[in-house]
Amino acid sequence: MSNWILGLTGGIGAGKTAVSDMLAKKGITIVDADVIAKQVVALGSVGLNTIVDKFGKEILQTDGTLDRAKLRHIIFSDSHSKQWLEQLLHPLIREEIITQLHSAKGPYVVLSAPLLFENKLDVLCSHTLLVDVPEHTQLARTTERDSVPQQQVEKIIAAQMSRAEKLKRANTILNNDKSLTEMYNQLEILHQNFVSTALNHSTCG
């Protein structure tokens, strides 16, 4: 893969989407693992048909699409179902990610994935950027944004790699515990550095 790839990650509520949206406005291609995860279970897909075979038609909404809330409830209540789903979806998602990374244009490409390290997607990346906030900020932002109980958000955080481990693994940390303006100012500097690094990489390559 000749593209210089920035792996972007962050826990729920950390502000990863705000970062990827800003980079997209600067003309950077965003390969979003969450978007791809939805594509591989879209109506008529092999992924969706396999899920229906496993859990029955009650996993579907009235229009035939996947009831994601129902599926999320099942997998967070049952570790075997979670493991089964991961074994089905991860190879499909990874294959599509690699296809999109290959075809991306621009100075560099972003692979945005909440489970970048957990799913070993960081091995596809030239550099990793962690959008970081304390856990209490994650809880406050997510419960307000998604109107979900705090206990559910705590379960999601607990199921992901610890903040300390992510901080240890990431090449660069972007602190997003203050205002959006401050985050954008930090990101602008990082973006210029990434463009420069990617340019050097392509020249050397």
Side-chain angles (χ1 to χ4, degrees), residues 19-92:
V19 171
S20 64
D21 285 351
M22 183 188 171
L23 293 175
K25 283 177 186 169
K26 292 181 174 297
I28 300 301
T29 299
I30 311 294
V31 175
D32 191 323
D34 278 349
V35 171
I36 291 171
K38 288 174 185 170
Q39 290 171 349
V40 300
V41 292
L43 200 59
S45 65
V46 173
L48 182 59
N49 293 339
T50 309
I51 289 169
V52 172
D53 287 344
K54 170 78 172 174
F55 297 112
K57 289 193 175 173
E58 54 271 24
I59 203 73
L60 298 176
Q61 301 190 88
T62 51
D63 62 358
T65 58
L66 181 64
D67 188 330
R68 302 180 73 82
K70 198 173 281 185
L71 182 63
R72 195 181 302 122
H73 177 74
I74 290 170
I75 64 170
F76 278 112
S77 309
D78 176 16
S79 60
H80 292 296
S81 293
K82 183 172 185 282
Q83 189 178 14
W84 177 88
L85 189 70
E86 286 172 351
Q87 286 172 347
L88 168 69
L89 297 183
H90 287 180
L92 297 174

Side-chain angles (χ1 to χ4, degrees), residues 42-205:
L43 200 59
S45 65
V46 173
L48 182 59
N49 293 339
T50 309
I51 289 169
V52 172
D53 287 344
K54 170 78 172 174
F55 297 112
K57 289 193 175 173
E58 54 271 24
I59 203 73
L60 298 176
Q61 301 190 88
T62 51
D63 62 358
T65 58
L66 181 64
D67 188 330
R68 302 180 73 82
K70 198 173 281 185
L71 182 63
R72 195 181 302 122
H73 177 74
I74 290 170
I75 64 170
F76 278 112
S77 309
D78 176 16
S79 60
H80 292 296
S81 293
K82 183 172 185 282
Q83 189 178 14
W84 177 88
L85 189 70
E86 286 172 351
Q87 286 172 347
L88 168 69
L89 297 183
H90 287 180
L92 297 174
I93 294 167
R94 195 181 190 91
E95 185 181 344
E96 181 58 27
I97 283 172
I98 291 169
T99 299
Q100 291 190 22
L101 289 174
H102 269 299
S103 59
K105 306 288 183 219
Y108 65 93
V109 56
V110 169
L111 169 53
S112 175
L115 302 178
L116 187 81
F117 298 121
E118 290 93 328
N119 293 344
K120 299 180 174 57
L121 293 171
D122 55 314
V123 301
L124 302 174
C125 303
S126 316
H127 192 91
T128 56
L129 173 64
L130 172 68
V131 185
D132 180 59
V133 295
E135 193 172 299
H136 64 82
T137 305
Q138 288 182 265
L139 287 168
R141 284 182 184 170
T142 309
T143 50
E144 184 181 345
R145 181 191 69 194
D146 299 345
S147 302
V148 291
Q150 181 171 315
Q151 190 180 9
Q152 189 177 327
V153 183
E154 286 171 348
K155 273 188 178 181
I156 293 169
I157 292 172
Q160 295 181 351
M161 184 179 286
S162 72
R163 182 186 176 205
E165 185 61 27
K166 284 178 184 170
L167 286 166
K168 199 189 301 179
R169 291 193 184 206
N171 299 125
T172 302
I173 315 295
L174 174 57
N175 187 304
N176 190 25
D177 198 25
K178 295 177 183 163
S179 70
L180 266 180
T181 305
E182 287 190 59
M183 187 273 280
Y184 286 151
N185 290 340
Q186 289 181 72
L187 185 58
E188 179 59 42
I189 295 165
L190 290 173
H191 168 65
Q192 297 302 335
N193 288 341
F194 296 148
V195 170
S196 174
T197 305
L199 192 62
N200 289 338
H201 168 80
S202 63
T203 307
C204 296

